[in-house]
Amino acid sequence: MALLAPSSLVLGLASAAVLPRAGDHYPEKHGSKHNHTKLNVQVGDRPYFLIDDMDEGSLKDKLESCSEGPFAPSDFVFAHRGASLQYPEHTYAAYSAARRQGAGVIECDVAFTKDKQLVCRHAQCDLHTTTNILNTTLASKCTTPFTPANSTALASAKCCTSDLTLAEYQTLCGKQDGFNPNGTTVKQYMDGTPYFRTDLYSSGCPKIVTLDEYIDIVDGWNLKFTAELKTPEVPMPFDGYTQEQYAQDMIDAFKSKGIAPERVWPQSFLPSDIFYWIDNEPEFGKQAVYLDERVDTPAGYENATASLPALAARGVKIMAPAMFALTKVDNATGQIVPSEYAIAAKENNLEIVAWSFERSGWLQIGGGGYYYDYVKSVINKDGDMYTVLDVLARQVGIKAMFSDWPATVTYYASCFGL
Ligand SMILES: *[C@@H]1O[C@H](CO)[C@@H](O)[C@H](O)[C@H]1NC(C)=O
Ligand SMILES: *[C@@H]1O[C@H](CO)[C@@H](O)[C@H](O)[C@H]1NC(C)=O
Ligand SMILES: *[C@@H]1O[C@H](CO)[C@@H](O)[C@H](O)[C@H]1NC(C)=O
Ligand SMILES: *[C@@H]1O[C@H](CO)[C@@H](O)[C@H](O)[C@H]1NC(C)=O
Ligand SMILES: *[C@@H]1O[C@H](CO)[C@@H](O)[C@H](O)[C@H]1NC(C)=O
Ligand SMILES: *[C@@H]1O[C@H](CO)[C@@H](O)[C@H](O)[C@H]1NC(C)=O
């Protein structure tokens, strides 16, 4: 989703057949394979590690009281690119781990190939950091082929989904997102996994997926969907492919498989995409999530907050700024409290989805950085993560939290009955 990350790293946010239109009947699927009530959710040991690290107090006591579960899947938990903290993002393994950790909703970021097929990648042009493309013959097709670092310049490369056909794309393997800008060889460049992640689950050839495959996988688990239409990094229309057709194709992928719109949260950073869905696919549009990056500057934050009544009047139902914009520190008490943006959203009956948890590494470094920007003066250890989540869940009243490690949020959600 967002691009902000440790400074030396860039981590980063089908068919056009004739399909049923809005208002058509969407049969609910059923059958034994669509029964996740039996799923044995595993939160692993990380939530316990974080709770141990918390300051003493009623929140810690409450979370400790839930230590023996039960833990259940929750729609409060949106898996950000799958369980991407440790699994290579947008791979089958990352989605499967997210399901096991209790995510009720799993994300696919949508980008298009040269032949205008839709695939799950965080960005249109991140293949050089999220796949093995530079170590394959397809490297020659990259928008910017690999150039090694030398004494005066950093290494560079830029490989886009739109550089490849779908068939070519499907030969690639996923890898943990990251690169080493000092690399003088492809091997060195590809070896850039951030300190808080791991290559442990990147062996072999992690399977990257198309939007259609993602829908089949998540539907087979009877979970829900959030698909983000990634902002194109090539001028649109691309070889005749318009932004509107791209936005429509993403929705059509779900409709052609008979997925009920209530199970899908389409997202975009571009308000024009959100308005397109509201106007042309109202059943999907009413669950559209407006990813709000205007908050990234102080002036933009003021404007974004002021614009919420007009957005609500335009039919927008769900806003999703980076989580930092939803909280602030109350100077008088030193407590973390809802921000002006969060209060204004609530006043306008807008729901809020926050992003992203478990993407910041150690919170002792710079108070957690970007995602904790407005509260970093009171953040100094990893356990503080749950303090922030608690304010977001119970004071801001967020509808859901994206997380790179769903288990951390599932533990909280199960504990508080979310
Ligand atoms: C789903 O699982 C629950 C709990 O095990 C069980 O009671 C129910 O009968 C199952 N439903 C179907 C359709 O298999
Ligand atoms: C370093 O690489 C850049 C291109 O990446 C090139 O323009 C420059 O001439 C190179 N410098 C040296 C000293 O080789
Ligand atoms: C790249 O080299 C610079 C200068 O030597 C160094 O400061 C930086 O940490 C290196 N980055 C990585 C990812 O190795
Ligand atoms: C590059 O590809 C070769 C041959 O497939 C493989 O042995 C090697 O491990 C790969 N290197 C990286 C860094 O992926
Ligand atoms: C904020 O809104 C004002 C008035 O519409 C506009 O002039 C300004 O450019 C906006 N600033 C940002 C950062 O969006
Ligand atoms: C609260 O503290 C912040 C950060 O120190 C400061 O920028 C802000 O002006 C303060 N607000 C009030 C109302 O004192």
Side-chain angles (χ1 to χ4, degrees), residues 147-156:
T147 306
N150 62 26
S151 53
T152 57
L154 295 173
S156 61

